[in-house]
Amino acid sequence: MEKEEKSDVGIAFKLSLPVLIGYVPLGIVFGFLFVQAGGAWWIPPIASIMIYGGAVQYMMIPMLATGLPIAAIGIATLTVNLRHVFYGISILHKVPSHGWKKWAVAFLLTDETYSLLCSLPVGTPIRRILWLAFFDWCWWITGSFIGAVLGSQIPTQLAGLDFVLCSLFAMLLCEQWRARTSSLPLWTALISYVMAYAISKDNALALSMAFCFAVACIYFLGQPLFTKHKNQERK
């Protein structure tokens, strides 16, 4: 391994440590609950390798336990993970075309990995981006494996680790706020969620994402007009 690549691996590993703190406990909870629901111990780590969906994997437990059709599970998965399409579009300028590496990053993209990638400057080596996404994936797989093994050996209920996900997002939000160039995205998200929650508590997340998307479209469509008007005033 070249010296430059070793440097990228080391930096990516350090950047992934906050995700490790969140993903390993959450993966343990997922593996534990899956086995406690009657699943085989080897399925959680395999699911984490092949699906790597986070919230979708948690949602998969009661769906499989109640015997929902595969089509219903597929539609639910598509709906929950549709946000990743917008994640990918927003970081295309940071992940230019590099063959299989670009597809690998697309597969390994999660909420937390996306948050970390947003904090990286444009021009960050694709190797560093890929290693960062890879380490995050490894932490989730590791947690799932540990939880599955514990679940198959310990006949007790596991609760109380749910707060880890909220803590992880709060920490990543603080990092995003410190590295921000504009406060508009944060205030848009907060106001959108408050409005969505007031309209429908059960569909607050979907509605708030729709509001944010509408604001983003208005902002980016109106930006060229604003710039043109400003240039005319200067002339």
Side-chain angles (χ1 to χ4, degrees):
M1 187 181 295
E2 297 179 359
K3 184 178 180 180
E4 188 174 328
E5 186 171 355
K6 287 183 179 179
S7 175
D8 288 329
V9 174
I11 293 173
F13 179 81
K14 291 179 181 178
L15 290 173
S16 73
L17 292 180
V19 177
L20 179 153
I21 296 172
Y23 269 13
V24 171
L26 285 171
I28 290 174
V29 174
F30 162 68
F32 194 99
L33 293 178
F34 191 94
V35 174
Q36 291 289 305
W41 71 268
W42 52 268
I43 296 181
I46 295 298
S48 294
I49 293 172
M50 300 182 64
I51 302 173
Y52 192 39
V56 167
Q57 291 178 234
Y58 273 90
M59 185 178 67
M60 181 176 66
I61 298 173
M63 286 185 170
L64 292 176
T66 55
L68 282 181
I70 297 297
I73 297 176
I75 294 173
T77 300
L78 177 63
T79 302
V80 173
N81 280 354
L82 187 61
R83 67 190 187 280
H84 289 185
V85 174
F86 302 102
Y87 289 170
I89 292 174
S90 67
I91 60 171
L92 281 176
H93 64 293
K94 292 189 176 182
V95 188
S97 180
H98 283 274
W100 68 270
K101 293 180 180 179
K102 182 176 183 179
W103 291 104
V105 172
F107 170 74
L108 298 174
L109 191 62
T110 61
D111 296 342
E112 292 74 20
T113 300
Y114 170 76
S115 181
L116 290 174
L117 293 183
C118 286
S119 66
L120 297 178
V122 177
T124 299
I126 187 64
R127 291 191 305 269
R128 188 177 304 173
I129 292 174
L130 184 57
W131 277 108
L132 173 59
F134 175 75
F135 282 129
D136 290 349
W137 186 37
C138 289
W139 306 145
W140 182 254
I141 295 170
T142 300
S144 300
F145 176 76
I146 294 173
V149 173
L150 290 176
S152 64
Q153 300 296 325
I154 305 175
T156 184
Q157 297 296 318
L158 184 65
L161 287 177
D162 299 28
F163 74 96
V164 175
L165 184 59
C166 295
S167 301
L168 176 61
F169 273 115
M171 180 174 59
L172 293 174
L173 175 62
C174 290
E175 292 299 319
Q176 288 292 307
W177 177 257
R178 291 170 59 187
R180 73 189 185 281
T181 56
S182 171
S183 301
L184 179 63
L186 176 61
W187 290 116
T188 299
L190 289 174
I191 295 172
S192 295
Y193 189 80
V194 171
M195 292 172 54
Y197 189 83
I199 295 172
S200 174
K201 295 180 181 180
D202 295 333
N203 302 298
L205 181 58
L207 286 174
S208 63
M209 291 175 66
F211 291 154
C212 290
F213 180 69
V215 172
C217 289
I218 294 171
Y219 176 78
F220 285 110
L221 290 175
Q223 199 172 30
L225 297 177
F226 176 77
T227 304
K228 183 178 179 180
H229 178 70
K230 193 173 182 180
N231 291 335
Q232 288 177 349
E233 286 183 346
R234 288 178 179 175
K235 292 180 180 179

